[in-house]
PDB file of all heavy atoms in Angstrom:
ATOM      1  N   PHE A 199      -6.638   0.039 -10.465  1.00 86.00           N
ATOM      2  CA  PHE A 199      -6.271   1.425 -10.624  1.00 86.00           C
ATOM      3  C   PHE A 199      -5.258   1.530 -11.778  1.00 86.00           C
ATOM      4  O   PHE A 199      -4.544   0.492 -12.100  1.00 86.00           O
ATOM      5  CB  PHE A 199      -5.616   1.966  -9.308  1.00 86.00           C
ATOM      6  CG  PHE A 199      -6.603   2.020  -8.181  1.00 86.00           C
ATOM      7  CD1 PHE A 199      -6.675   0.953  -7.214  1.00 86.00           C
ATOM      8  CD2 PHE A 199      -7.409   3.093  -8.061  1.00 86.00           C
ATOM      9  CE1 PHE A 199      -7.651   1.069  -6.153  1.00 86.00           C
ATOM     10  CE2 PHE A 199      -8.486   3.138  -7.056  1.00 86.00           C
ATOM     11  CZ  PHE A 199      -8.550   2.144  -6.088  1.00 86.00           C
ATOM     12  N   ARG A 200      -5.080   2.755 -12.272  1.00 73.00           N
ATOM     13  CA  ARG A 200      -4.209   2.932 -13.453  1.00 73.00           C
ATOM     14  C   ARG A 200      -2.742   2.930 -13.049  1.00 73.00           C
ATOM     15  O   ARG A 200      -1.905   3.018 -13.894  1.00 73.00           O
ATOM     16  CB  ARG A 200      -4.616   4.195 -14.123  1.00 73.00           C
ATOM     17  CG  ARG A 200      -5.959   4.039 -14.847  1.00 73.00           C
ATOM     18  CD  ARG A 200      -6.373   5.262 -15.588  1.00 73.00           C
ATOM     19  NE  ARG A 200      -6.568   6.480 -14.688  1.00 73.00           N
ATOM     20  CZ  ARG A 200      -6.826   7.734 -15.051  1.00 73.00           C
ATOM     21  NH1 ARG A 200      -6.887   7.999 -16.375  1.00 73.00           N
ATOM     22  NH2 ARG A 200      -6.955   8.740 -14.167  1.00 73.00           N
ATOM     23  N   GLY A 201      -2.384   2.937 -11.804  1.00 70.00           N
ATOM     24  CA  GLY A 201      -1.004   3.070 -11.487  1.00 70.00           C
ATOM     25  C   GLY A 201      -0.834   2.972  -9.916  1.00 70.00           C
ATOM     26  O   GLY A 201      -1.831   3.080  -9.219  1.00 70.00           O
ATOM     27  N   GLY A 202       0.416   2.769  -9.539  1.00 74.00           N
ATOM     28  CA  GLY A 202       0.717   2.579  -8.149  1.00 74.00           C
ATOM     29  C   GLY A 202       0.347   3.752  -7.233  1.00 74.00           C
ATOM     30  O   GLY A 202      -0.033   3.749  -6.070  1.00 74.00           O
ATOM     31  N   GLY A 203       0.399   4.960  -7.884  1.00 80.00           N
ATOM     32  CA  GLY A 203       0.078   6.191  -7.131  1.00 80.00           C
ATOM     33  C   GLY A 203      -1.383   6.215  -6.737  1.00 80.00           C
ATOM     34  O   GLY A 203      -1.748   6.606  -5.603  1.00 80.00           O
ATOM     35  N   GLU A 204      -2.321   5.859  -7.641  1.00 86.00           N
ATOM     36  CA  GLU A 204      -3.632   5.826  -7.365  1.00 86.00           C
ATOM     37  C   GLU A 204      -3.979   4.712  -6.334  1.00 86.00           C
ATOM     38  O   GLU A 204      -4.815   4.961  -5.450  1.00 86.00           O
ATOM     39  CB  GLU A 204      -4.511   5.544  -8.699  1.00 86.00           C
ATOM     40  CG  GLU A 204      -4.510   6.767  -9.637  1.00 86.00           C
ATOM     41  CD  GLU A 204      -5.394   6.539 -10.855  1.00 86.00           C
ATOM     42  OE1 GLU A 204      -6.139   5.526 -10.776  1.00 86.00           O
ATOM     43  OE2 GLU A 204      -5.357   7.360 -11.742  1.00 86.00           O
ATOM     44  N   ALA A 205      -3.350   3.579  -6.402  1.00 88.00           N
ATOM     45  CA  ALA A 205      -3.593   2.439  -5.550  1.00 88.00           C
ATOM     46  C   ALA A 205      -3.179   2.835  -4.111  1.00 88.00           C
ATOM     47  O   ALA A 205      -3.881   2.584  -3.144  1.00 88.00           O
ATOM     48  CB  ALA A 205      -2.925   1.195  -6.023  1.00 88.00           C
ATOM     49  N   THR A 206      -2.064   3.557  -4.002  1.00 92.00           N
ATOM     50  CA  THR A 206      -1.519   3.980  -2.740  1.00 92.00           C
ATOM     51  C   THR A 206      -2.588   4.974  -2.035  1.00 92.00           C
ATOM     52  O   THR A 206      -2.873   4.829  -0.832  1.00 92.00           O
ATOM     53  CB  THR A 206      -0.199   4.713  -2.961  1.00 92.00           C
ATOM     54  OG1 THR A 206       0.790   3.748  -3.412  1.00 92.00           O
ATOM     55  CG2 THR A 206       0.328   5.284  -1.597  1.00 92.00           C
ATOM     56  N   ALA A 207      -3.015   5.958  -2.939  1.00 93.00           N
ATOM     57  CA  ALA A 207      -3.974   6.916  -2.379  1.00 93.00           C
ATOM     58  C   ALA A 207      -5.264   6.187  -1.914  1.00 93.00           C
ATOM     59  O   ALA A 207      -5.927   6.656  -0.818  1.00 93.00           O
ATOM     60  CB  ALA A 207      -4.393   7.912  -3.450  1.00 93.00           C
ATOM     61  N   ALA A 208      -5.761   5.173  -2.610  1.00 95.00           N
ATOM     62  CA  ALA A 208      -6.921   4.385  -2.176  1.00 95.00           C
ATOM     63  C   ALA A 208      -6.738   3.746  -0.818  1.00 95.00           C
ATOM     64  O   ALA A 208      -7.641   3.717   0.078  1.00 95.00           O
ATOM     65  CB  ALA A 208      -7.333   3.365  -3.259  1.00 95.00           C
ATOM     66  N   VAL A 209      -5.581   3.174  -0.586  1.00 96.00           N
ATOM     67  CA  VAL A 209      -5.305   2.511   0.639  1.00 96.00           C
ATOM     68  C   VAL A 209      -5.169   3.533   1.705  1.00 96.00           C
ATOM     69  O   VAL A 209      -5.818   3.313   2.865  1.00 96.00           O
ATOM     70  CB  VAL A 209      -3.965   1.662   0.592  1.00 96.00           C
ATOM     71  CG1 VAL A 209      -3.610   1.163   1.950  1.00 96.00           C
ATOM     72  CG2 VAL A 209      -3.972   0.636  -0.470  1.00 96.00           C
ATOM     73  N   LEU A 210      -4.473   4.593   1.523  1.00 96.00           N
ATOM     74  CA  LEU A 210      -4.296   5.651   2.539  1.00 96.00           C
ATOM     75  C   LEU A 210      -5.597   6.266   2.966  1.00 96.00           C
ATOM     76  O   LEU A 210      -5.887   6.618   4.064  1.00 96.00           O
ATOM     77  CB  LEU A 210      -3.255   6.726   2.098  1.00 96.00           C
ATOM     78  CG  LEU A 210      -1.895   6.325   1.871  1.00 96.00           C
ATOM     79  CD1 LEU A 210      -1.041   7.402   1.224  1.00 96.00           C
ATOM     80  CD2 LEU A 210      -1.129   5.920   3.230  1.00 96.00           C
ATOM     81  N   GLY A 211      -6.509   6.341   1.965  1.00 95.00           N
ATOM     82  CA  GLY A 211      -7.856   6.920   2.119  1.00 95.00           C
ATOM     83  C   GLY A 211      -8.794   5.996   2.726  1.00 95.00           C
ATOM     84  O   GLY A 211      -9.985   6.348   2.936  1.00 95.00           O
ATOM     85  N   GLY A 212      -8.479   4.706   2.879  1.00 95.00           N
ATOM     86  CA  GLY A 212      -9.363   3.723   3.401  1.00 95.00           C
ATOM     87  C   GLY A 212     -10.532   3.366   2.435  1.00 95.00           C
ATOM     88  O   GLY A 212     -11.602   2.928   2.793  1.00 95.00           O
ATOM     89  N   ASN A 213     -10.233   3.622   1.093  1.00 96.00           N
ATOM     90  CA  ASN A 213     -11.214   3.248   0.118  1.00 96.00           C
ATOM     91  C   ASN A 213     -11.261   1.890  -0.387  1.00 96.00           C
ATOM     92  O   ASN A 213     -12.114   1.521  -1.250  1.00 96.00           O
ATOM     93  CB  ASN A 213     -11.029   4.175  -1.069  1.00 96.00           C
ATOM     94  CG  ASN A 213     -11.216   5.728  -0.660  1.00 96.00           C
ATOM     95  OD1 ASN A 213     -12.079   6.045   0.111  1.00 96.00           O
ATOM     96  ND2 ASN A 213     -10.294   6.594  -1.101  1.00 96.00           N
ATOM     97  N   VAL A 214     -10.246   1.128   0.110  1.00 97.00           N
ATOM     98  CA  VAL A 214     -10.246  -0.303  -0.257  1.00 97.00           C
ATOM     99  C   VAL A 214     -10.025  -1.010   1.109  1.00 97.00           C
ATOM    100  O   VAL A 214      -9.402  -0.529   2.152  1.00 97.00           O
ATOM    101  CB  VAL A 214      -9.080  -0.698  -1.210  1.00 97.00           C
ATOM    102  CG1 VAL A 214      -9.454  -0.096  -2.607  1.00 97.00           C
ATOM    103  CG2 VAL A 214      -7.746  -0.241  -0.841  1.00 97.00           C
ATOM    104  N   THR A 215     -10.314  -2.317   1.153  1.00 98.00           N
ATOM    105  CA  THR A 215     -10.180  -3.066   2.362  1.00 98.00           C
ATOM    106  C   THR A 215      -8.686  -3.494   2.502  1.00 98.00           C
ATOM    107  O   THR A 215      -8.098  -3.476   3.523  1.00 98.00           O
ATOM    108  CB  THR A 215     -11.050  -4.456   2.307  1.00 98.00           C
ATOM    109  OG1 THR A 215     -12.368  -4.059   1.950  1.00 98.00           O
ATOM    110  CG2 THR A 215     -10.947  -5.072   3.580  1.00 98.00           C
ATOM    111  N   VAL A 216      -8.095  -3.965   1.355  1.00 98.00           N
ATOM    112  CA  VAL A 216      -6.727  -4.346   1.348  1.00 98.00           C
ATOM    113  C   VAL A 216      -6.106  -3.924   0.036  1.00 98.00           C
ATOM    114  O   VAL A 216      -6.681  -3.894  -1.020  1.00 98.00           O
ATOM    115  CB  VAL A 216      -6.626  -5.935   1.487  1.00 98.00           C
ATOM    116  CG1 VAL A 216      -7.439  -6.638   0.413  1.00 98.00           C
ATOM    117  CG2 VAL A 216      -5.222  -6.362   1.521  1.00 98.00           C
ATOM    118  N   GLY A 217      -4.811  -3.526   0.063  1.00 97.00           N
ATOM    119  CA  GLY A 217      -4.118  -3.076  -1.067  1.00 97.00           C
ATOM    120  C   GLY A 217      -2.923  -3.924  -1.445  1.00 97.00           C
ATOM    121  O   GLY A 217      -2.278  -4.471  -0.527  1.00 97.00           O
ATOM    122  N   GLY A 218      -2.635  -4.079  -2.690  1.00 95.00           N
ATOM    123  CA  GLY A 218      -1.509  -4.875  -3.141  1.00 95.00           C
ATOM    124  C   GLY A 218      -0.545  -4.088  -4.072  1.00 95.00           C
ATOM    125  O   GLY A 218      -1.119  -3.427  -4.955  1.00 95.00           O
ATOM    126  N   SER A 219       0.699  -4.275  -3.982  1.00 91.00           N
ATOM    127  CA  SER A 219       1.713  -3.634  -4.931  1.00 91.00           C
ATOM    128  C   SER A 219       3.092  -4.014  -4.524  1.00 91.00           C
ATOM    129  O   SER A 219       3.249  -4.878  -3.704  1.00 91.00           O
ATOM    130  CB  SER A 219       1.566  -2.068  -4.702  1.00 91.00           C
ATOM    131  OG  SER A 219       2.269  -1.478  -5.756  1.00 91.00           O
ATOM    132  N   GLY A 220       4.082  -3.588  -5.439  1.00 87.00           N
ATOM    133  CA  GLY A 220       5.363  -3.978  -5.053  1.00 87.00           C
ATOM    134  C   GLY A 220       5.811  -3.311  -3.759  1.00 87.00           C
ATOM    135  O   GLY A 220       5.342  -2.155  -3.347  1.00 87.00           O
ATOM    136  N   TYR A 221       6.611  -3.980  -2.973  1.00 87.00           N
ATOM    137  CA  TYR A 221       6.939  -3.448  -1.662  1.00 87.00           C
ATOM    138  C   TYR A 221       7.485  -1.987  -1.792  1.00 87.00           C
ATOM    139  O   TYR A 221       7.239  -1.178  -0.815  1.00 87.00           O
ATOM    140  CB  TYR A 221       7.914  -4.427  -0.990  1.00 87.00           C
ATOM    141  CG  TYR A 221       8.297  -3.930   0.517  1.00 87.00           C
ATOM    142  CD1 TYR A 221       7.418  -4.380   1.503  1.00 87.00           C
ATOM    143  CD2 TYR A 221       9.381  -3.123   0.780  1.00 87.00           C
ATOM    144  CE1 TYR A 221       7.653  -3.889   2.798  1.00 87.00           C
ATOM    145  CE2 TYR A 221       9.605  -2.699   2.072  1.00 87.00           C
ATOM    146  CZ  TYR A 221       8.761  -3.156   3.090  1.00 87.00           C
ATOM    147  OH  TYR A 221       9.003  -2.726   4.410  1.00 87.00           O
ATOM    148  N   SER A 222       8.336  -1.715  -2.711  1.00 84.00           N
ATOM    149  CA  SER A 222       9.044  -0.405  -2.794  1.00 84.00           C
ATOM    150  C   SER A 222       7.942   0.699  -2.851  1.00 84.00           C
ATOM    151  O   SER A 222       8.205   1.838  -2.458  1.00 84.00           O
ATOM    152  CB  SER A 222       9.904  -0.381  -3.981  1.00 84.00           C
ATOM    153  OG  SER A 222       9.118  -0.502  -5.250  1.00 84.00           O
ATOM    154  N   GLU A 223       6.760   0.448  -3.355  1.00 87.00           N
ATOM    155  CA  GLU A 223       5.744   1.439  -3.581  1.00 87.00           C
ATOM    156  C   GLU A 223       5.038   1.758  -2.249  1.00 87.00           C
ATOM    157  O   GLU A 223       4.484   2.865  -2.024  1.00 87.00           O
ATOM    158  CB  GLU A 223       4.660   1.008  -4.598  1.00 87.00           C
ATOM    159  CG  GLU A 223       5.310   0.920  -6.048  1.00 87.00           C
ATOM    160  CD  GLU A 223       4.305   0.459  -7.045  1.00 87.00           C
ATOM    161  OE1 GLU A 223       3.253   1.005  -7.114  1.00 87.00           O
ATOM    162  OE2 GLU A 223       4.609  -0.500  -7.765  1.00 87.00           O
ATOM    163  N   PHE A 224       4.991   0.874  -1.308  1.00 92.00           N
ATOM    164  CA  PHE A 224       4.307   0.986  -0.023  1.00 92.00           C
ATOM    165  C   PHE A 224       5.223   1.201   1.069  1.00 92.00           C
ATOM    166  O   PHE A 224       4.900   1.449   2.161  1.00 92.00           O
ATOM    167  CB  PHE A 224       3.464  -0.183   0.260  1.00 92.00           C
ATOM    168  CG  PHE A 224       2.151  -0.396  -0.573  1.00 92.00           C
ATOM    169  CD1 PHE A 224       1.535  -1.625  -0.640  1.00 92.00           C
ATOM    170  CD2 PHE A 224       1.659   0.776  -1.258  1.00 92.00           C
ATOM    171  CE1 PHE A 224       0.244  -1.716  -1.435  1.00 92.00           C
ATOM    172  CE2 PHE A 224       0.483   0.695  -2.046  1.00 92.00           C
ATOM    173  CZ  PHE A 224      -0.133  -0.545  -2.122  1.00 92.00           C
ATOM    174  N   ALA A 225       6.522   0.990   0.917  1.00 89.00           N
ATOM    175  CA  ALA A 225       7.554   0.936   1.943  1.00 89.00           C
ATOM    176  C   ALA A 225       7.532   2.149   2.832  1.00 89.00           C
ATOM    177  O   ALA A 225       7.440   2.074   4.124  1.00 89.00           O
ATOM    178  CB  ALA A 225       8.965   0.691   1.401  1.00 89.00           C
ATOM    179  N   GLU A 226       7.488   3.287   2.376  1.00 92.00           N
ATOM    180  CA  GLU A 226       7.532   4.553   3.188  1.00 92.00           C
ATOM    181  C   GLU A 226       6.315   4.686   4.102  1.00 92.00           C
ATOM    182  O   GLU A 226       6.354   5.128   5.276  1.00 92.00           O
ATOM    183  CB  GLU A 226       7.742   5.908   2.397  1.00 92.00           C
ATOM    184  CG  GLU A 226       6.592   6.124   1.463  1.00 92.00           C
ATOM    185  CD  GLU A 226       6.862   7.460   0.729  1.00 92.00           C
ATOM    186  OE1 GLU A 226       6.794   8.479   1.324  1.00 92.00           O
ATOM    187  OE2 GLU A 226       7.117   7.451  -0.488  1.00 92.00           O
ATOM    188  N   TYR A 227       5.125   4.160   3.580  1.00 95.00           N
ATOM    189  CA  TYR A 227       3.892   4.295   4.369  1.00 95.00           C
ATOM    190  C   TYR A 227       3.927   3.259   5.430  1.00 95.00           C
ATOM    191  O   TYR A 227       3.276   3.461   6.508  1.00 95.00           O
ATOM    192  CB  TYR A 227       2.729   4.246   3.364  1.00 95.00           C
ATOM    193  CG  TYR A 227       2.764   5.301   2.280  1.00 95.00           C
ATOM    194  CD1 TYR A 227       3.176   4.978   0.964  1.00 95.00           C
ATOM    195  CD2 TYR A 227       2.473   6.602   2.624  1.00 95.00           C
ATOM    196  CE1 TYR A 227       3.276   5.888  -0.028  1.00 95.00           C
ATOM    197  CE2 TYR A 227       2.581   7.605   1.604  1.00 95.00           C
ATOM    198  CZ  TYR A 227       2.955   7.187   0.323  1.00 95.00           C
ATOM    199  OH  TYR A 227       3.099   8.156  -0.682  1.00 95.00           O
ATOM    200  N   ILE A 228       4.414   2.092   5.178  1.00 95.00           N
ATOM    201  CA  ILE A 228       4.447   1.030   6.158  1.00 95.00           C
ATOM    202  C   ILE A 228       5.371   1.535   7.281  1.00 95.00           C
ATOM    203  O   ILE A 228       5.060   1.263   8.434  1.00 95.00           O
ATOM    204  CB  ILE A 228       5.086  -0.351   5.430  1.00 95.00           C
ATOM    205  CG1 ILE A 228       4.044  -0.912   4.483  1.00 95.00           C
ATOM    206  CG2 ILE A 228       5.442  -1.374   6.596  1.00 95.00           C
ATOM    207  CD1 ILE A 228       4.598  -2.057   3.691  1.00 95.00           C
ATOM    208  N   LYS A 229       6.536   2.031   6.874  1.00 93.00           N
ATOM    209  CA  LYS A 229       7.521   2.549   7.933  1.00 93.00           C
ATOM    210  C   LYS A 229       6.928   3.557   8.744  1.00 93.00           C
ATOM    211  O   LYS A 229       7.260   3.713   9.998  1.00 93.00           O
ATOM    212  CB  LYS A 229       8.823   2.987   7.232  1.00 93.00           C
ATOM    213  CG  LYS A 229       9.652   1.823   6.672  1.00 93.00           C
ATOM    214  CD  LYS A 229      10.781   2.373   5.888  1.00 93.00           C
ATOM    215  CE  LYS A 229      11.499   1.180   5.184  1.00 93.00           C
ATOM    216  NZ  LYS A 229      12.665   1.689   4.292  1.00 93.00           N
ATOM    217  N   ALA A 230       6.090   4.490   8.150  1.00 96.00           N
ATOM    218  CA  ALA A 230       5.431   5.571   8.921  1.00 96.00           C
ATOM    219  C   ALA A 230       4.197   5.134   9.662  1.00 96.00           C
ATOM    220  O   ALA A 230       3.624   5.969  10.296  1.00 96.00           O
ATOM    221  CB  ALA A 230       5.090   6.666   7.937  1.00 96.00           C
ATOM    222  N   GLY A 231       3.823   3.905   9.567  1.00 95.00           N
ATOM    223  CA  GLY A 231       2.699   3.401  10.296  1.00 95.00           C
ATOM    224  C   GLY A 231       1.306   3.836   9.701  1.00 95.00           C
ATOM    225  O   GLY A 231       0.219   3.641  10.296  1.00 95.00           O
ATOM    226  N   LYS A 232       1.268   4.166   8.322  1.00 96.00           N
ATOM    227  CA  LYS A 232       0.119   4.603   7.680  1.00 96.00           C
ATOM    228  C   LYS A 232      -0.484   3.385   6.883  1.00 96.00           C
ATOM    229  O   LYS A 232      -1.642   3.447   6.484  1.00 96.00           O
ATOM    230  CB  LYS A 232       0.418   5.701   6.692  1.00 96.00           C
ATOM    231  CG  LYS A 232       0.830   6.923   7.345  1.00 96.00           C
ATOM    232  CD  LYS A 232       1.166   8.063   6.333  1.00 96.00           C
ATOM    233  CE  LYS A 232       1.633   9.340   7.012  1.00 96.00           C
ATOM    234  NZ  LYS A 232       1.869  10.430   6.056  1.00 96.00           N
ATOM    235  N   MET A 233       0.226   2.327   6.877  1.00 97.00           N
ATOM    236  CA  MET A 233      -0.237   1.071   6.353  1.00 97.00           C
ATOM    237  C   MET A 233       0.252  -0.132   7.146  1.00 97.00           C
ATOM    238  O   MET A 233       1.389  -0.031   7.706  1.00 97.00           O
ATOM    239  CB  MET A 233       0.224   0.798   4.797  1.00 97.00           C
ATOM    240  CG  MET A 233      -0.225   1.735   3.838  1.00 97.00           C
ATOM    241  SD  MET A 233       0.415   1.338   2.218  1.00 97.00           S
ATOM    242  CE  MET A 233      -0.237   2.680   1.177  1.00 97.00           C
ATOM    243  N   ARG A 234      -0.432  -1.174   7.282  1.00 96.00           N
ATOM    244  CA  ARG A 234      -0.160  -2.340   8.100  1.00 96.00           C
ATOM    245  C   ARG A 234      -0.013  -3.575   7.160  1.00 96.00           C
ATOM    246  O   ARG A 234      -0.964  -3.970   6.533  1.00 96.00           O
ATOM    247  CB  ARG A 234      -1.190  -2.605   9.101  1.00 96.00           C
ATOM    248  CG  ARG A 234      -1.185  -1.594  10.307  1.00 96.00           C
ATOM    249  CD  ARG A 234      -2.048  -2.103  11.434  1.00 96.00           C
ATOM    250  NE  ARG A 234      -3.465  -1.766  11.174  1.00 96.00           N
ATOM    251  CZ  ARG A 234      -4.484  -2.686  11.369  1.00 96.00           C
ATOM    252  NH1 ARG A 234      -4.082  -4.020  11.702  1.00 96.00           N
ATOM    253  NH2 ARG A 234      -5.715  -2.329  11.182  1.00 96.00           N
ATOM    254  N   PRO A 235       1.204  -4.005   7.023  1.00 97.00           N
ATOM    255  CA  PRO A 235       1.533  -5.074   6.122  1.00 97.00           C
ATOM    256  C   PRO A 235       1.026  -6.394   6.592  1.00 97.00           C
ATOM    257  O   PRO A 235       1.037  -6.791   7.830  1.00 97.00           O
ATOM    258  CB  PRO A 235       3.066  -5.162   5.950  1.00 97.00           C
ATOM    259  CG  PRO A 235       3.440  -4.666   7.269  1.00 97.00           C
ATOM    260  CD  PRO A 235       2.503  -3.521   7.705  1.00 97.00           C
ATOM    261  N   LEU A 236       0.438  -7.210   5.729  1.00 97.00           N
ATOM    262  CA  LEU A 236      -0.110  -8.578   5.998  1.00 97.00           C
ATOM    263  C   LEU A 236       0.828  -9.811   5.593  1.00 97.00           C
ATOM    264  O   LEU A 236       0.984 -10.635   6.333  1.00 97.00           O
ATOM    265  CB  LEU A 236      -1.521  -8.763   5.375  1.00 97.00           C
ATOM    266  CG  LEU A 236      -2.769  -7.917   5.852  1.00 97.00           C
ATOM    267  CD1 LEU A 236      -3.896  -8.211   5.038  1.00 97.00           C
ATOM    268  CD2 LEU A 236      -2.982  -8.348   7.340  1.00 97.00           C
ATOM    269  N   ALA A 237       1.175  -9.557   4.285  1.00 97.00           N
ATOM    270  CA  ALA A 237       1.990 -10.759   3.752  1.00 97.00           C
ATOM    271  C   ALA A 237       2.688 -10.241   2.540  1.00 97.00           C
ATOM    272  O   ALA A 237       2.252  -9.380   1.849  1.00 97.00           O
ATOM    273  CB  ALA A 237       1.021 -11.858   3.455  1.00 97.00           C
ATOM    274  N   VAL A 238       3.779 -10.972   2.275  1.00 96.00           N
ATOM    275  CA  VAL A 238       4.533 -10.767   0.945  1.00 96.00           C
ATOM    276  C   VAL A 238       4.232 -12.068   0.115  1.00 96.00           C
ATOM    277  O   VAL A 238       3.931 -13.170   0.651  1.00 96.00           O
ATOM    278  CB  VAL A 238       6.020 -10.561   1.157  1.00 96.00           C
ATOM    279  CG1 VAL A 238       6.241  -9.327   1.660  1.00 96.00           C
ATOM    280  CG2 VAL A 238       6.575 -11.622   1.969  1.00 96.00           C
ATOM    281  N   THR A 239       4.380 -11.956  -1.255  1.00 94.00           N
ATOM    282  CA  THR A 239       4.104 -13.130  -2.059  1.00 94.00           C
ATOM    283  C   THR A 239       5.357 -13.934  -2.373  1.00 94.00           C
ATOM    284  O   THR A 239       5.270 -14.661  -3.382  1.00 94.00           O
ATOM    285  CB  THR A 239       3.423 -12.620  -3.418  1.00 94.00           C
ATOM    286  OG1 THR A 239       4.312 -11.666  -4.069  1.00 94.00           O
ATOM    287  CG2 THR A 239       2.183 -11.797  -3.114  1.00 94.00           C
ATOM    288  N   SER A 240       6.419 -13.733  -1.798  1.00 92.00           N
ATOM    289  CA  SER A 240       7.643 -14.438  -1.971  1.00 92.00           C
ATOM    290  C   SER A 240       7.593 -15.863  -1.361  1.00 92.00           C
ATOM    291  O   SER A 240       6.768 -16.149  -0.570  1.00 92.00           O
ATOM    292  CB  SER A 240       8.864 -13.647  -1.383  1.00 92.00           C
ATOM    293  OG  SER A 240       8.691 -13.354  -0.092  1.00 92.00           O
ATOM    294  N   GLY A 241       8.567 -16.734  -1.784  1.00 90.00           N
ATOM    295  CA  GLY A 241       8.637 -18.102  -1.313  1.00 90.00           C
ATOM    296  C   GLY A 241       9.188 -18.142   0.106  1.00 90.00           C
ATOM    297  O   GLY A 241       8.823 -19.022   0.917  1.00 90.00           O
TER     298      GLY A 241
END
């Protein structure tokens, strides 16, 4: 996708199986229960 906004919309709409982005871009949706986090890429 061309930006985090489009990727977020795709996840919220169920148009992708799994979405990836910086935590800050998904944080509010994770907290609201609209996305379910699987893993972070940190050590």
Side-chain angles (χ1 to χ4, degrees):
F199 294 97
R200 291 180 296 177
E204 289 186 7
T206 297
V209 176
L210 292 173
N213 298 318
V214 295
T215 311
V216 56
S219 191
Y221 185 84
S222 63
E223 295 177 50
F224 287 163
E226 65 178 289
Y227 304 103
I228 292 172
K229 291 173 183 176
K232 295 179 179 180
M233 295 179 182
R234 288 190 279 128
L236 288 176
V238 291
T239 62
S240 54

